[in-house]
Amino acid sequence: MAARKLPSLHALRAFEAAARHCSFTLAAQELCVTQGAVSHQIKALEEELGRPLFERLPNQLRLTAAGTDYLQAIGLALDHIERATAALALRDLPARLSLSCSPNFSSKWLVPRLGDFARQHPQLELRLTQSEQHVNFLREDIDAAIRYGVGPWPGLSCTRLSEEYLLPVCAQTLADSTDPRKLAALTLLHVHDRQAWSGWCSRHGVAGPDMATSPGIVFNHESAAIDAAIAGQGMTLARWSLVSLALRQGMLVAPWLPGDPQDAAYWLVHPEGQPGSLPAPLAAFRAWLLQCFAADRQWHAEAWPGRVAWLHSR
């Protein structure tokens, strides 16, 4: 049999990361290499394929049509390789992964999905610690953490899980009668203070209620505000990652799209190591995380186009 004619795996990884981030710099940070190395690998891949994969615009990187098609195929292939490698490394071996994340992320994103991870990796014991504090990996017996903020952070290997948006969400019973111009008549739910809603109304030119006198509970955890919105107690502003499952299951709706982009995002962070030396349990969990976030983005991409976005019509 003739040998397989395959591009360099390093080049494929560089292309997939750069395409996912639309950035050579972020791809380099994820792969723990220089930006120049990523650019060189992708240029060599384009020369081998005989066609450009990216449009290199001023301050912008955009996939070509060929690059988009190639990303879909290569992303699936790399996912299969990563899962197969992690599963083989874990097979017949006792494995444990200690993870830390915030109560908000734990209750609204991670815990409802953990059954799927357990089914895929029954031999891996996951130990979950809920904490608002950043992990000190030198002093704590924690392998990785999910952190919300404006990363990446020095001294840590950081994988950005998704872009983040702030969405007004509520139960379907309220969405049927909502109109942004009648926002003042709604009960608004707040997190920490009333500034988020004030800022949202100001940015979008909406006459909201008097935040000083209007009814509405102020919660100290976003997860509680989301629970109240699911119960039909009002409308809250929530990070789309935390309400993605509730949106997919129909427990919440986002009647006014799009959301406000945020500088911060959720990241998977762990101590830096040698490239390619990620422990098998962590590699399996990282692959699963990225797969789940990709599925959320795909669902939203299919569900939201075609809906009337009032922000676009103003």
Side-chain angles (χ1 to χ4, degrees):
M1 293 180 62
R4 293 181 184 273
K5 187 177 180 180
L6 298 174
S8 159
L9 181 59
H10 291 299
L12 294 179
R13 292 183 66 206
F15 163 70
E16 190 271 342
R20 184 159 29 84
H21 291 293
C22 287
S23 166
F24 288 170
T25 301
L26 291 178
Q29 293 171 355
E30 177 180 322
L31 298 174
C32 300
V33 297
T34 65
Q35 188 268 353
V38 170
S39 179
H40 175 77
Q41 291 282 359
I42 292 175
K43 184 178 180 181
L45 180 61
E46 290 176 321
E47 291 176 352
E48 182 174 354
L49 295 174
R51 65 191 64 204
L53 298 173
F54 291 98
E55 294 181 56
R56 295 160 173 83
L57 306 174
N59 300 318
Q60 186 180 6
L61 188 67
R62 188 165 61 195
L63 283 166
T64 63
T68 299
D69 292 340
Y70 200 50
L71 172 63
Q72 184 175 6
I74 293 304
L76 290 173
L78 291 177
D79 285 345
H80 285 309
I81 292 171
E82 187 169 20
R83 288 196 298 270
T85 303
L88 184 61
L90 289 172
R91 192 171 64 188
D92 301 327
L93 293 176
R96 176 183 299 169
L97 177 67
S98 297
L99 178 73
S100 174
C101 67
S102 70
N104 281 327
F105 187 84
S106 173
S107 65
K108 293 302 163 197
W109 196 97
L110 184 58
V111 170
R113 294 171 168 85
L114 275 183
D116 177 67
F117 181 76
R119 284 189 294 272
Q120 292 188 36
H121 303 283
Q123 72 281 27
L124 195 158
E125 178 184 305
L126 181 64
R127 295 196 169 186
L128 178 62
T129 299
Q130 298 178 344
S131 175
E132 297 282 4
Q133 303 301 317
H134 285 178
V135 173
N136 185 328
F137 289 105
L138 295 177
R139 298 180 180 180
E140 300 179 58
D141 185 20
I142 298 292
D143 300 309
I146 296 172
R147 179 181 294 184
Y148 183 78
V150 182
W153 293 271
L156 295 174
S157 179
C158 305
T159 301
R160 192 170 186 260
L161 299 176
S162 182
E163 66 283 348
E164 194 61 72
Y165 295 92
L166 202 61
L167 288 173
V169 293
C170 61
Q172 181 66 59
T173 52
L174 291 180
D176 289 341
S177 60
T178 55
D179 182 319
R181 287 158 294 193
K182 299 179 181 178
L183 189 65
L186 289 175
T187 297
L188 302 182
L189 306 173
H190 310 272
V191 181
H192 298 307
D193 53 46
R194 297 170 182 260
Q195 293 180 3
W197 268 117
S198 294
W200 190 91
C201 292
S202 175
R203 281 190 299 276
H204 299 301
V206 173
D210 184 343
M211 296 300 169
T213 60
S214 65
I217 304 172
V218 180
F219 298 90
N220 71 332
H221 283 291
E222 190 170 347
S223 57
I226 293 170
D227 286 338
I230 291 173
Q233 297 174 14
M235 176 175 281
T236 189
L237 284 171
R239 285 170 266 183
W240 86 266
S241 294
L242 298 186
V243 295
S244 58
L245 188 61
L247 289 169
R248 293 175 68 174
Q249 294 176 341
M251 294 186 295
L252 287 174
V253 294
W256 310 327
L257 299 174
D260 288 344
Q262 303 294 290
D263 294 329
Y266 280 107
W267 300 70
L268 176 66
V269 301
H270 53 86
E272 288 183 326
Q274 296 299 318
S277 66
L278 201 63
L282 183 51
F285 185 73
R286 178 183 179 276
W288 176 80
L289 268 181
L290 293 174
Q291 183 182 23
C292 289
F293 270 96
D296 282 347
R297 288 193 298 271
Q298 180 65 29
W299 183 87
H300 289 151
E302 294 172 355
W304 288 354
R307 293 185 58 183
V308 176
W310 72 274
L311 292 176
H312 286 166
S313 64
R314 291 180 62 81

